[in-house]
Amino acid sequence: MKFKEQIYGMKAYQPGKPIEEVQREFGLNEVVKLASNENPFGCSPKVKEFIKENGINFAIYPDGYAQELRTAVSKHIGVEESQLLFGNGSDDLIAIISRALLYPGVNTVMADPSFSQYAHNAEIEGAEIRKVPLTDGKHDLKKMLEAIDENTSIVWVCNPNNPTGTIVSDEELSAFLEKVPKDVLVVLDEAYYEYITDPSYKDTLRYIEKYPNVLIMRTFSKAYGLAAFRVGYAIAQADLIAKLDPVRAPFNNTVLSQKVAIVALEDQEFIKESVEQNEKGKQLYVEFCEKHGLKYYPTQTNFILFEVKTDSDVIFQEMMKRGFIVRSGNALGTPGFIRVSFGTEEQNSKFLSLLEEVLKEQGVLA
């Protein structure tokens, strides 16, 4: 069969291990997943109530334009409805953008390490991939700017960055956008936007009006706790959205996902409470790292990346045996580190207690 040449040798995205698999493998009754940056408090109770009380006609296609959800999001963030593009999660949006703008002969610039799907989709489309190493866990925007040339089509800025959790300040981003050529699309991936508390970050929506080449991505999968429903959205000037929309699959958001996203959006008190609990969890991990002299990156997300001073895979396995799933830095391009999503207060305390035991067994801690 005549596959694209670049498909050969590629590997599918490898998510964190599912809870059921770990339970079977290690004979555990209870397993806590702290690997995929999900909201440990679930979703708004209003979503659960809506699903319980409302039926869906399974024979009818969803609204391909997501009109009700479009109206709700546009009102919530203060943009025109024509400035929105909805995807089956941000992954779908990345694929749409890549399919529309990447092809053999052009290149795309991104930080390294950052979210793997930027490079993955670029490889499928046959574009050249230019990775610029992080500096102290942060995007090096100066060097990313230097990597741009006349053949650059897309620059990806994951802000906050996954897997380090660091942010690009408003001052840095403003200076960067001013210098990027106007025919280069700058994608600001803000999957963890709701969790940001650092005052150096300013809402990026104002850049949309100023720069026709800026697109922002946000999602309902993280703080809203709707990862299972796969709803992401992009914000840009209407002309840019109009060019991307024909690439989108006709019915890429289900009837149910559109409905529950609207309900979740209305419950901002749940988001506020989730962020407050997230900050408490973050502090526990920061204190643990500082107590034991473990390097960590200042995170503005619902996860933290920190060193374990030994083989990441060993710690990953040992914590799984004890009922906790995390991500090994070996899988993220950060060997010697692990990435841990913040859980509930009880989960965080138990995890850190067990991790301390494991690090002592491995000779990392005295």
Side-chain angles (χ1 to χ4, degrees):
M1 289 181 277
K2 301 177 180 64
F3 286 106
K4 286 183 175 181
E5 184 179 338
Q6 53 266 30
I7 294 292
Y8 292 98
M10 289 188 71
K11 294 182 179 179
Y13 178 75
Q14 296 294 318
K17 279 199 171 189
I19 290 174
E20 295 77 12
E21 182 180 338
V22 175
Q23 285 177 316
R24 288 193 301 269
E25 184 176 350
F26 297 105
L28 300 170
N29 292 322
E30 183 180 358
V31 170
V32 177
K33 186 183 177 189
L34 302 178
S36 299
N37 310 332
E38 296 142 334
N39 189 333
F41 305 102
C43 61
S44 165
K46 294 181 180 180
V47 168
K48 298 175 183 177
E49 191 65 25
F50 173 85
I51 293 173
K52 182 180 178 181
E53 294 184 357
N54 291 269
I56 299 294
N57 186 340
F58 301 138
I60 303 299
Y61 280 109
D63 173 9
Y65 194 60
Q67 183 59 65
E68 287 186 61
L69 177 58
R70 183 178 299 273
T71 300
V73 172
S74 70
K75 287 181 179 179
H76 179 69
I77 64 176
V79 300
E80 297 297 322
E81 293 183 6
S82 58
Q83 292 182 263
L84 296 170
L85 177 71
F86 289 91
N88 187 30
S90 293
D91 298 305
D92 187 29
L93 294 171
I94 293 169
I96 290 170
I97 294 165
S98 298
R99 189 178 179 192
L101 286 119
L102 297 180
Y103 46 87
V106 303
N107 66 70
T108 178
V109 177
M110 63 199 69
D112 183 40
S114 193
F115 188 46
S116 63
Q117 293 303 287
Y118 311 145
H120 183 84
N121 281 276
E123 189 171 357
I124 291 172
E125 301 303 332
E128 178 192 350
I129 300 165
R130 297 184 175 179
K131 294 184 177 182
V132 178
L134 298 174
T135 298
D136 296 325
K138 292 179 58 178
H139 282 62
D140 191 330
L141 294 184
K142 182 179 179 181
K143 289 185 178 178
M144 289 178 71
L145 196 63
E146 292 172 355
I148 297 172
D149 64 17
E150 66 277 6
N151 294 319
T152 302
S153 186
I154 306 174
V155 177
W156 305 89
V157 179
C158 190
N159 194 32
N161 187 48
N162 181 7
T164 56
T166 56
I167 61 166
V168 171
S169 71
D170 182 67
E171 183 179 358
E172 294 169 313
L173 186 57
S174 295
F176 176 73
L177 292 176
E178 197 62 37
K179 296 176 181 177
V180 174
K182 303 311 175 197
D183 64 343
V184 175
L185 176 65
V186 179
V187 178
L188 305 178
D189 186 347
E190 298 185 339
Y192 301 92
Y193 159 75
E194 289 83 5
Y195 287 112
I196 301 174
T197 57
D198 190 320
S200 71
Y201 171 89
K202 306 296 181 186
D203 197 323
T204 53
L205 286 176
R206 72 187 193 282
Y207 290 128
I208 297 298
E209 183 176 349
K210 186 176 182 181
Y211 300 105
N213 61 324
V214 170
L215 179 146
I216 299 167
M217 295 194 307
R218 293 179 181 173
T219 183
F220 283 90
S221 294
K222 304 302 181 184
Y224 284 93
L226 299 180
F229 291 98
R230 313 306 298 125
V231 182
Y233 60 98
I235 316 153
Q237 288 193 12
D239 287 348
L240 176 54
I241 294 296
K243 288 183 175 66
L244 292 171
D245 200 32
V247 185
R248 176 182 58 83
F251 306 106
N252 60 334
N253 291 115
T254 68
V255 174
L256 188 56
S257 66
Q258 292 181 40
K259 296 289 186 182
V260 298
I262 294 170
V263 176
L265 197 65
E266 294 171 350
D267 192 355
Q268 289 301 305
E269 187 60 32
F270 173 78
I271 299 298
K272 180 183 177 182
E273 291 173 2
S274 292
V275 173
E276 288 175 355
Q277 292 301 317
N278 189 73
E279 285 297 299
K280 292 178 182 178
K282 181 194 301 183
Q283 190 57 38
L284 280 178
Y285 283 83
V286 168
E287 290 172 358
F288 179 87
C289 290
E290 293 183 344
K291 174 185 175 182
H292 295 298
L294 303 174
K295 180 181 177 181
Y296 66 94
Y297 291 105
T299 179
Q300 289 296 305
T301 64
N302 63 343
F303 63 83
I304 188 168
L305 181 73
F306 62 96
E307 71 172 342
V308 288
K309 295 184 176 180
T310 188
D311 188 336
S312 304
D313 285 347
V314 171
I315 303 303
F316 166 72
Q317 288 290 335
E318 290 299 321
M319 292 309 297
M320 269 204 302
K321 292 177 184 177
R322 291 162 174 79
F324 283 91
I325 310 171
V326 298
R327 287 303 294 268
S328 167
N330 290 345
L332 301 170
T334 56
F337 284 69
I338 59 172
R339 192 191 69 189
V340 184
S341 308
F342 303 133
T344 64
E345 182 177 359
E346 181 182 359
Q347 290 169 349
N348 292 330
S349 296
K350 185 176 180 182
F351 174 84
L352 290 172
S353 177
L354 290 171
L355 178 60
E356 190 171 45
E357 291 179 10
V358 170
L359 292 178
K360 286 178 179 179
E361 288 177 2
Q362 297 300 315
V364 175
L365 302 180

